[in-house]
Amino acid sequence: MSHGLFITLEGSEGSGKSTQIAYIKSYLESKGRKVICVREPGGTPIAEDIRKILKTPRSDDNLCDTAELLLMYAARAQLVNTLIKPNLEKGIDVICDRHDLSTIAYQGGGRGMNMDDINACRKVVLGDFRPNLTILIDIDPVVGMNRAQKRGALDRFEQSKMDFFVRVRNTYLEYAKEHPNEVKVVSGEQALEKVSSDIKILLDELHV
Ligand code: Z5A
């Protein structure tokens, strides 16, 4: 049996990842493939508990950057080892809303953490495990935040200042430029249908 495909969606807040994941799932299923969708941080009961710690603003304590980084990787280890890899081995495609590139962009770019430290965590948790395709939906963070704010109360990340999100975006784009085979960039400021049709071209290149 052949392995499933591991496809990850990346981008700033409100870039349209969740919306496009629904499109990707239905497109792959129309080709007769079995597909599951997960998210990071989260995706398993333990990883979802970690997600709550990461996302919930609190007044009694302040999550330090190192704890944030290690919790991201703890959640990722749980998700990759207990859910993603076993499903890929069964031939099921896994689409993940955010993965390791989010850590490079948010903790590396946004928080300014040392990339050698991030790479050390990456090596412990992922080894050589990488997605078959990473789609970066690029959007001006002002546009993305306007979309996200329509949802109501802001989480711990959404409460960051705009310069944080500008650094995140720039880090995403720099990484994509340096790794053109690994990361494909699609503009998220186009109409929904045009974003989907750009993504369809990338999926077809995988010969699904
Ligand atoms: N994080 C981290 O720091 N380090 C890590 O390693 C990982 C994560 C893995 C998770 O938040 C947070 O964790 C995230 C980074 C951090 N925080 N931030 N900021 P999350 O999972 O709650 O949030 P998100 O990943 O940013 O998702 P989101 O806000 O739900 O955005 P989205 O999924 O990309 O967008 P959407 O829900 O598909 O669309 C948002 C709205 O825009 C919706 O109303 C759509 O109908 C609309 N939309 C979508 N596309 C379009 C187009 N093309 N035109 C017009 N309107 C559109």
Side-chain angles (χ1 to χ4, degrees), residues 2-201:
S2 61
H3 262 235
L5 292 168
F6 181 35
I7 298 172
T8 61
L9 273 284
E10 294 283 355
S12 312
E13 190 74 357
S15 56
K17 298 182 305 312
S18 314
T19 310
Q20 296 302 330
I21 282 172
Y23 166 76
I24 296 171
K25 183 173 192 288
S26 71
Y27 184 67
L28 293 176
E29 285 175 343
S30 77
K31 301 278 181 181
R33 305 183 69 94
K34 285 192 178 148
V35 183
I36 61 163
C37 301
V38 290
R39 66 178 180 182
E40 284 202 25
T44 79
I46 288 173
E48 286 290 328
D49 282 352
I50 298 173
R51 178 185 176 90
K52 282 191 203 112
I53 297 173
L54 281 160
K55 290 210 23 152
T56 309
R58 51 192 298 168
S59 53
D60 60 343
D61 202 358
N62 193 16
L63 192 65
C64 72
D65 289 353
T66 305
E68 179 180 280
L69 175 72
L70 295 174
L71 286 172
M72 286 295 174
Y73 273 109
R76 183 162 303 137
Q78 188 66 18
L79 177 66
V80 167
N81 291 318
T82 70
L83 201 144
I84 295 180
K85 283 184 176 173
N87 276 285
L88 294 175
E89 279 158 20
K90 282 191 254 170
I92 297 170
D93 296 337
V94 179
I95 310 171
C96 195
D97 190 338
R98 299 192 178 280
H99 182 58
D100 203 48
L101 183 50
S102 282
T103 310
I104 293 169
Y106 283 80
Q107 280 65 51
R111 302 273 188 242
M113 294 190 75
N114 184 303
M115 273 312 300
D116 290 339
D117 292 344
I118 294 177
N119 281 327
C121 296
R122 193 182 199 200
K123 194 167 170 225
V124 171
V125 171
L126 297 174
D128 294 332
F129 181 70
R130 296 285 179 273
N132 297 93
L133 171 65
T134 294
I135 299 169
L136 168 58
I137 306 185
D138 176 56
I139 190 172
D140 181 328
V142 175
V143 177
M145 194 48 74
N146 281 339
R147 287 182 190 167
Q149 275 167 348
K150 287 186 188 144
R151 278 192 303 234
L154 299 180
D155 68 29
R156 202 175 63 83
F157 288 96
E158 290 164 344
Q159 291 179 355
S160 306
K161 297 207 171 79
M162 190 46 70
D163 61 344
F164 172 83
F165 292 106
V166 171
R167 288 196 299 279
V168 168
R169 183 196 198 187
N170 290 341
T171 308
Y172 266 137
L173 290 174
E174 276 163 30
Y175 188 94
K177 199 172 169 193
E178 285 164 15
H179 302 83
N181 295 329
E182 215 178 288
V183 182
K184 305 292 179 188
V185 185
V186 168
S187 168
E189 291 182 46
Q190 316 176 88
L192 277 177
E193 299 71 22
K194 177 69 173 80
V195 181
S196 301
S197 70
D198 284 1
I199 288 176
K200 177 180 176 298
I201 293 169

